[in-house]
Amino acid sequence: MKRTFLGLCAAALLLSCAEEPQQLPEENAFDVAKVAALATASPDATLDGTNLGMYRGVFVSADTKLHGELIVSVTDTETPIALVELDNEKSLYFKGTALGDNQFRFKNADAFFTIDVSDRDNVVVMGSDLNSRPIHIRLVKDDAASRAAVSLGTFVDTADAGFGGTWDFISTSTSDITQPIPFPPFTFTITVDNIDELVICYDNGTPEGRMFNDTSQESFTASGCGVIPEGTYAPFTLGPETLVLPIIGARDVDEIAAFGQTTNILGNDLTWNIGSTINGATVGTQAYVSLSCTEVASGTWSWNGRSGTILLD
């Protein structure tokens, strides 16, 4: 059954009004370089399976103007820190404080957010504020043995430019795709990141804005595109990275495929499709593609009489 969680940040919205962001005192200055290093850091394998370590997810301001990937590090031995890599190539840095009972508060000069990681599989945002409005946050555990990944995007109504927001994917699992080579006959395997969660945020004119997420995706059957053979797949992302393929050799990949998807939002079905590859008609050039690997202008969506486009960052 399709599972849709509406208003995931409701608890955070109720609590966020109780606290305002504060300027960090000079004596509390912290190592910005260490926070910036979270962008390329790997999780500590000794913390796999625990509620400590790295978390990764989505950070979106209520007006959706600040949008990025959130990376959090919490341990017993070091100061908690958090980094937001924004889609405009800028970054936000946060210093954290352990509050006890697996709760951590992160602050910078303009914003704060508080999380509870008692249940590593269900991180709770206890409160947040940015410019007197809450922040939409969705976090998942990032373990060394099971890496999390985030893909950022946006959406807009083609007939109403004022109706749009952020469209992000979170991965917490992988699948293997077997690629056959006809001559000489053999196969090789490509490991892809499953799209385990869709997170949509938009500014509906209220102080809180809205966030919706969907953790159940449908499989689709594709005719094959680029390095991906014909077959039936769960929605996935691959790359950006370089694969070394038999006979072909090194091949850059940066692929997303999610077709025939349905997400229920406020009682109406949102249908959506998106495919993107750098191994289409012009190898090396990023292009949006349809289920049949024909180049198109964008991903597409339709909901409650509206329709529009999806673009990846």
Side-chain angles (χ1 to χ4, degrees), residues 197-242:
E197 186 167 355
L198 166 67
V199 182
I200 296 173
C201 299
Y202 76 98
D203 185 356
N204 65 346
T206 68
E208 296 82 10
R210 296 301 298 266
M211 178 169 76
F212 304 92
N213 78 322
D214 182 3
T215 57
S216 180
Q217 321 306 333
E218 294 84 16
S219 296
F220 63 93
T221 300
S223 59
C225 191
V227 298
I228 306 301
E230 178 181 356
T232 298
Y233 307 106
F236 67 85
T237 70
L238 172 63
E241 62 182 287
T242 300

Side-chain angles (χ1 to χ4, degrees), residues 97-119:
T97 304
L99 304 179
D101 296 325
N102 296 306
Q103 295 180 7
F104 301 86
R105 177 174 293 125
F106 297 85
K107 289 184 179 181
N108 65 16
D110 303 306
F112 83 87
F113 63 92
T114 304
I115 61 173
D116 186 326
V117 298
S118 298
D119 181 352

Side-chain angles (χ1 to χ4, degrees), residues 55-56 69 140-143 146-150 170-173 193:
Y55 288 82
R56 190 176 297 268
E69 179 177 0
V140 296
K141 186 68 190 299
D142 187 12
D143 281 340
S146 180
R147 295 302 310 270
V150 174
I170 297 177
S171 167
T172 55
S173 64
D193 293 314

Side-chain angles (χ1 to χ4, degrees), residues 59 67-71 82-86 90-94:
F59 177 107
H67 171 219
E69 179 177 0
L70 172 61
I71 308 168
L83 169 70
V84 181
E85 289 194 293
L86 296 170
K90 296 182 179 180
S91 298
L92 304 177
Y93 305 95
F94 291 85

Side-chain angles (χ1 to χ4, degrees), residues 32-271:
V32 171
K34 189 171 185 178
V35 181
L38 284 177
T40 55
S42 297
D44 180 348
T46 65
L47 298 177
D48 282 9
T50 74
N51 54 5
L52 296 178
M54 291 180 65
Y55 288 82
R56 190 176 297 268
V58 174
F59 177 107
V60 185
S61 60
D63 60 8
T64 72
K65 292 181 180 179
L66 290 179
H67 171 219
E69 179 177 0
L70 172 61
I71 308 168
V72 169
S73 175
V74 292
T75 71
D76 282 333
T77 58
E78 297 185 340
T79 299
I81 53 177
L83 169 70
V84 181
E85 289 194 293
L86 296 170
D87 58 4
N88 61 6
E89 300 185 353
K90 296 182 179 180
S91 298
L92 304 177
Y93 305 95
F94 291 85
K95 179 181 179 180
T97 304
L99 304 179
D101 296 325
N102 296 306
Q103 295 180 7
F104 301 86
R105 177 174 293 125
F106 297 85
K107 289 184 179 181
N108 65 16
D110 303 306
F112 83 87
F113 63 92
T114 304
I115 61 173
D116 186 326
V117 298
S118 298
D119 181 352
R120 51 173 267 133
D121 297 318
N122 184 28
V123 179
V124 177
V125 180
M126 305 291 293
S128 63
D129 188 284
L130 174 65
N131 297 326
S132 300
R133 296 183 72 180
I135 307 164
H136 302 306
I137 293 173
R138 178 68 173 139
L139 282 169
V140 296
K141 186 68 190 299
D142 187 12
D143 281 340
S146 180
R147 295 302 310 270
V150 174
S151 299
L152 302 177
T154 57
F155 75 96
V156 68
D157 186 327
T158 51
D160 178 5
F163 187 90
T166 60
W167 186 289
D168 303 323
F169 298 128
I170 297 177
S171 167
T172 55
S173 64
T174 61
S175 293
D176 289 335
I177 293 177
T178 299
Q179 169 72 283
I181 299 295
F183 183 82
F186 66 95
T187 61
F188 65 92
T189 299
I190 298 173
T191 300
V192 299
D193 293 314
N194 297 322
I195 293 176
D196 295 302
E197 186 167 355
L198 166 67
V199 182
I200 296 173
C201 299
Y202 76 98
D203 185 356
N204 65 346
T206 68
E208 296 82 10
R210 296 301 298 266
M211 178 169 76
F212 304 92
N213 78 322
D214 182 3
T215 57
S216 180
Q217 321 306 333
E218 294 84 16
S219 296
F220 63 93
T221 300
S223 59
C225 191
V227 298
I228 306 301
E230 178 181 356
T232 298
Y233 307 106
F236 67 85
T237 70
L238 172 63
E241 62 182 287
T242 300
L243 300 179
V244 179
L245 307 177
I247 300 178
I248 299 173
R251 174 66 66 86
D252 292 335
V253 294
D254 190 359
E255 326 289 310
I256 285 185
F259 299 98
Q261 301 301 301
T262 303
T263 298
N264 187 273
I265 293 181
L266 300 176
N268 293 288
D269 281 343
L270 164 69
T271 58

